[in-house]
Structure formats: C-alpha cells, structure tokens
Amino acid sequence: FYFTGTRLAPKEKVDIPVLFTPDTMKMYEALVVIHVMRENGENWPYEDSAELNKDLKSVTIAENGGIQGILWIYPVHGIPEAPQQKLFPAVVHCRARQRVERRVEVLLTGVVPGATAMPATRNSAIVNTNKPANIQEEVQVTDGFSTTVEFLYELQYQSNEIKSQLGALVGMHLIQRERDTESGIITLIFNIVFAPNKPMRNEATLVVQCTTGGVWKFPMLFIATEPEVDDVINIEAVGLNKESIVSFKLTSQTR
C-alpha cells in the first residue's frame, strides 16, 4: 500500500501497519520505504553532494546539489505458520528407568514448490506404538515431478529448565519421508526415543520449517510414571530395643 502527506514534528513517531495474509506456505519478501522531505519544499544544504551520492543510496539529490529527500528502507520477511488448531498432542509414555520408542507421523500441508501444492489448511501428528540425539537436522523430499523440498526440524521446549531436563532423555530421528503427488502433502515419520530417569510430565513442540519459509508446529507430551520397585529388603527383629542390621549394595548409574 502507499500513503503520503503524513506530517511529523521533530522527534515525533509514526506507526506503519503491515498486514500479512499468506495463502501458501512460503516466505514472502517486501520493503517498507519511508521518504521524508521538508514541508516547505526546500532542500537540505550539503557541500559535497557528489561524494554523498556516491556513498549513500538513501538520499535523493536535487539539481542544485542539495538533499531533496531522505529514504529509510526496511526489508520485511513474511514467514507463514500453519494454523494452530486444537490438536491432541503426540504422547510418549513409559515408566521411569525404562526406554520406549514411538513413531510420530506429521503431515505438512501447503508445501511449496510444486504446482499441485494446497493452501495451508491444517496440520496433524499421529503416534504409532512399537514401530537418536535431539538435534536440528535437514530433510530433503523429492517426488520426481517438482524441485527438491528441504526442511529443518527440532524439538522446542517451554523453558530452558525443561530443555536441560529432557534434552538428554529424548532422541529424535527421521526414518521416512514421502510426498503425495496429487495433494502436495508431505509426510514425515520420526522415531522418538524416550528414556526417562525419574517420573515427569513435560510438554514439547516438534517444529518443522521449510527452507522456502513455511513453519509447522506439532505438540508433544512426554510422561514418565513411577519406576518399578528395585528390591524388597526384609529386616528380621532380634528383640525389643535391640538393633538389627542388613547389608546391601547401592550402585550409582551415573558418575
């Protein structure tokens, strides 16, 4: 959009609204350009206009060598994010001090490029039971009819405290990717490994970002219940007010 005639007093601020309504999952680029001139139409004097015009591209020079206007140019990147609907989180559940693997399937709609790509409508995550480190990784998907689509994925946590607690306990690895040539929907299947060392209940978000600009987010929930009892220790009493002793060994699982 374009507007003109805005008057500003010295040190006054102006708000410039920017509206972003993407219809496909790709990054859009634009420039916000502000051109300021003196209200009385006069130019700002400048002695060495030739040197100014050489070094600075943000000014417009008048024929008499003065500065006619000044430009501020702000690049804007619009990154669309899939709508956050009320999705049920993908739950990964096991008892503490055990290890479980789950397959998480995510559907990426509205992926670009591709002539058959659909508009961004919804996203979903599905967990399949019985079928590693938590790092960001690049994914490439090709269907033979369009150019290669590249993705980055990672697990994000609500706080650094949760990240430090879950980071070493959760592993994620992409095991399968495919694209439907008719709908343009890309399916990514991850193998999630969860090996908790104590009871917990923490949330995370699986974030997938396309290198063309789209972002998809899928909620996840990691639950660790009470561990199994290690052993039962029986102490036999030898009499009233007399001490009974049982010896057993404790081995640390970490340093």
Side-chain angles (χ1 to χ4, degrees), residues 194-226:
F194 184 38
N197 54 7
K198 62 181 180 180
M200 66 179 64
R201 182 186 179 93
N202 288 319
E203 297 178 354
T205 303
L206 172 57
V207 180
V208 180
Q209 181 172 5
C210 183
T211 53
T212 59
V215 176
W216 295 261
K217 294 183 179 181
F218 306 94
M220 298 195 65
L221 179 61
F222 295 91
I223 301 176
T225 55
E226 292 290 338

Side-chain angles (χ1 to χ4, degrees), residues 22-185:
D23 56 358
T24 54
M25 295 294 288
K26 69 177 182 179
M27 183 175 69
Y28 297 82
E29 299 183 39
L31 293 176
V32 175
V33 181
I34 302 173
H35 188 201
V36 61
M37 296 180 293
R38 299 180 70 171
E39 186 177 14
N40 56 13
E42 297 180 358
N43 300 328
W44 285 283
Y46 190 80
E47 297 179 358
D48 193 357
S49 59
E51 187 68 19
L52 179 68
N53 191 34
K54 175 183 176 181
D55 295 338
L56 298 178
K57 304 300 182 183
S58 59
V59 297
T60 53
I61 307 299
E63 295 180 357
N64 60 4
I67 299 177
Q68 187 178 20
I70 303 175
L71 290 174
W72 283 272
I73 303 176
Y74 300 93
V76 178
H77 289 178
I79 301 177
E81 182 174 317
Q84 289 294 305
Q85 300 182 0
K86 294 182 179 180
L87 300 176
F88 291 103
V91 180
V92 182
H93 176 279
C94 76
R95 301 185 72 168
R97 298 207 301 270
Q98 292 185 358
R99 182 180 182 273
V100 68
E101 294 189 23
R102 294 289 184 270
R103 289 193 178 186
V104 177
E105 177 180 311
V106 299
L107 305 180
L108 310 182
T109 59
V111 181
V112 211
T116 59
M118 298 171 60
T121 54
R122 65 182 184 90
N123 53 354
S124 60
I126 304 172
V127 172
N128 295 328
T129 59
N130 301 327
K131 280 292 179 202
N134 176 28
I135 60 174
Q136 187 168 333
E137 186 172 330
E138 184 175 299
V139 184
Q140 294 185 352
V141 178
T142 308
D143 60 16
F145 297 96
S146 63
T147 58
T148 301
V149 182
E150 298 180 355
F151 296 91
L152 298 174
Y153 65 86
E154 65 175 343
L155 277 177
Q156 293 182 356
Y157 305 99
Q158 293 180 332
S159 66
N160 291 331
E161 181 180 356
I162 296 178
K163 181 178 180 180
S164 62
Q165 185 180 26
L166 272 181
L169 308 178
V170 177
M172 180 175 61
H173 179 64
L174 180 75
I175 59 176
Q176 186 176 344
R177 58 263 193 183
E178 59 186 18
R179 175 169 181 158
D180 190 310
T181 56
E182 294 183 1
S183 65
I185 296 178

